[in-house]
Amino acid sequence: MSASREKKQRQGDGLSEKQRREAEEAQKARSKKILYTVIGIVCAVLVIALLVWNSNFFQRRTVAATVGDKQYTVGDVAFYYNNAKQTIRNYANYGLVTYNASLADDQQTIDDATAQNLSLYVGLTAEAGQTYAQFFQDRALEALQNEALLCAAAAEDGYTLSDAGKQSVEESVTSYKQSATDYGYTLAAYLRAVYGPYMTESTFREHLTNSTLASEYAQHYQESLIYSDEELTAYYQEHADTMDTFDFRAFYISGAPAAKTDADGNTVEATDEEKAAAMGLAKTQADAMLRRLQDGEAFNAAAKDYAAEDAKANYDDPDYNRQTRLGSAVASYDYAEWLTDSARKDGDVTVVESSSGYYVLQFHGRWLDDTTHYSADIRHILVMAETGEPVQNEDGTTTTPEPTEEQYAAAKAKIESIQAEFEAGDRTADSFAKLAETYSEDPGSNTNGGFYKVTQSTSFFADFKNWCLDEGRQSGDLGVIQNTQSSQWGYHLIYFQDWGPLVWKNTAQSALSSADTNAWIESRMPSYPTAAVEKGMAKVIG
């Protein structure tokens, strides 16, 4: 380019040489700023991604299992995997299983004794030689399958979680929050400590709710199954040996050798010869006692001669040592087969060997108890007695003093006035229920008409429970019972509404409905096949 042309061009853009240099520097600065901004954005994205990754956001969404066409994440599976794990840790604390919490689950296996104990005492199937990781995985898949099919069945039936179920979920969450506080954790951190790094409160709550609904609906389904008297009788006839009541005597003669210690006081195990000799002596004594019974001697008179010195006096009572027990309660004893033999008759005697001694037995009879009821439906009203002011203890706690006689008397007078009000009306269960909702101070029943179903296993105090389950009770009976339990001081007015089923019928009903419910659940399982996803399951196992 010629100098004149270059000059014209410079004149044409209107910029001096200095201005052009400044413009070029500014352009370079803008380019550099844009570059740094882009780099900064990229770095920020990387930092955010790293933070998200470290929070396990992506990992906990990794699929670890499928049930039917539904996918379950690492967190979902971890809920049930770690529940199974905690159960085993509890059993290990009691010596029922061998499990080392400090070892990885896939680095320790189930031994023969553990497999047998889980089957015998807990009803869980475990294979000897199986790793605990596989065992926990199997339990988790079973639980997810159970949750899925029962929640689906509940939805089909229009069944939703009851208020009691919702309350149970909230109480469990509250309990976990309290445990977290006690250990200095937040709830989120505590859940991760218990269930692994992928657990969140929302996942925990979801499966706690679902498992509660599943359990509740299974119970609802079972209780909906009704059986005729013919079906209940047929069940009894097939299971009479466990449902009948047996009247008998049993005297045990130990075949264990006397304990020995060495010079240092350590126990010395008996030799095989000593063990055999002790069993031989026990058999000789058992056979001798049997012959005396066969000759007509009274059972306790014969047993006294073989009893320990400090127990001999007990056998002077002719009724001592006579047992009345359900067949199910003696089914595990070595003499069960002899006792339940249909050929048994009153007065039969025998000797039965056990692993460490001999039983001498006398049979008196067997029958089906068709008079004892399993439960009673009652309503009650509780009037609490007033108490004095709480007393401050030295340790900072307070103790509420028991009511005085005058305070008890005032509570009794009030309960009697409520009774008079009831008896002045139509004396029906409905009218009693209205009075219970008006006057009762029992928070567990004053919103449902004071209703309770009382059984022998119900945790009420003895006087209350004994009144309710007295076989002489009739519908409409009224009773006034004093309650002297701490924090429950006062008086109960009880209305006996009706008897529940007889014990044997309840046993048959429960067994049949349980079996049919399990069969119904199993029939739905093919629609909910389970499968572990290796990548996600590895994160669960850890």
Side-chain angles (χ1 to χ4, degrees), residues 78-93:
F79 178 84
Y80 287 114
Y81 181 97
N82 286 287
N83 275 346
K85 188 172 183 175
Q86 187 58 50
T87 298
I88 290 298
R89 292 179 69 169
N90 291 339
Y91 291 151
N93 291 336

Side-chain angles (χ1 to χ4, degrees), residues 75 98 172 267 494:
T98 301
S172 293
T267 301
I494 311 174

Side-chain angles (χ1 to χ4, degrees), residues 182-452:
D182 292 343
Y183 287 105
Y185 286 95
T186 63
L187 177 60
Y190 184 69
L191 290 175
R192 290 194 296 271
V194 174
Y195 288 97
Y198 310 109
M199 181 56 63
T200 65
E201 183 179 349
S202 61
T203 299
F204 171 74
R205 184 181 284 274
E206 175 188 353
H207 289 290
L208 187 60
T209 301
N210 287 346
S211 61
T212 303
L213 173 60
S215 176
E216 196 173 275
Y217 184 71
Q219 184 68 26
H220 167 78
Y221 180 89
Q222 181 173 341
E223 290 174 353
S224 71
L225 302 177
I226 305 298
Y227 300 89
S228 66
D229 283 346
E230 290 75 14
E231 290 172 311
L232 298 179
T233 299
Y235 180 88
Y236 158 71
Q237 291 172 342
E238 187 177 348
H239 300 85
D241 286 348
T242 58
M243 296 177 68
D244 274 349
T245 297
F246 291 82
D247 179 7
F248 66 102
R249 297 178 189 270
F251 181 77
Y252 182 69
I253 299 177
S254 175
K260 297 188 303 179
T261 57
D262 59 21
D264 297 325
N266 299 314
T267 301
V268 177
E269 185 176 356
T271 65
D272 290 342
E273 290 76 14
E274 290 171 331
K275 293 177 181 178
M279 282 293 284
L281 176 60
K283 185 176 189 325
T284 298
Q285 293 176 331
D287 288 343
M289 180 176 168
L290 177 64
R291 287 192 293 272
R292 293 168 66 174
L293 298 179
Q294 291 170 332
D295 290 340
E297 189 171 351
F299 190 95
N300 280 357
K304 181 177 180 179
D305 289 345
Y306 303 99
E309 287 300 322
D310 59 354
K312 286 183 181 295
N314 295 328
Y315 291 88
D316 291 334
D317 179 359
D319 292 326
Y320 180 74
N321 201 39
R322 187 158 182 170
Q323 305 180 49
T324 303
R325 305 179 68 184
L326 280 174
S328 58
V330 299
S332 61
Y333 284 80
D334 295 296
Y335 54 74
E337 183 177 357
W338 179 86
L339 188 68
T340 59
D341 189 328
S342 60
R344 288 281 75 75
K345 60 183 183 298
D346 186 16
D348 282 357
V349 291
T350 194
V351 169
V352 174
E353 181 178 1
S354 75
S355 60
S356 58
Y358 289 85
Y359 288 98
V360 182
L361 296 128
Q362 186 173 59
F363 180 87
H364 291 295
R366 67 181 286 180
W367 62 89
L368 173 64
D369 181 356
D370 58 358
T371 60
T372 303
H373 291 86
Y374 172 74
S375 63
D377 295 342
I378 64 95
R379 296 182 184 274
H380 88 120
I381 296 169
L382 169 63
V383 171
M384 301 281 286
E386 293 185 0
T387 62
E389 291 297 320
V391 177
Q392 189 77 23
N393 301 317
E394 292 182 358
D395 61 0
T397 61
T398 59
T399 300
T400 301
E402 184 173 358
T404 63
E405 290 185 9
E406 291 77 11
Q407 289 169 328
Y408 269 127
K412 185 177 183 182
K414 183 175 180 180
I415 208 78
E416 288 174 343
S417 70
I418 296 171
Q419 179 178 357
E421 182 177 347
F422 171 70
E423 291 182 329
D426 58 10
R427 291 182 53 89
T428 64
D430 287 342
S431 61
F432 190 96
K434 292 177 181 177
L435 292 175
E437 294 181 1
T438 301
Y439 294 114
S440 183
E441 297 178 66
D442 172 25
S445 67
N446 59 10
T447 58
N448 71 348
F451 180 81
Y452 279 115

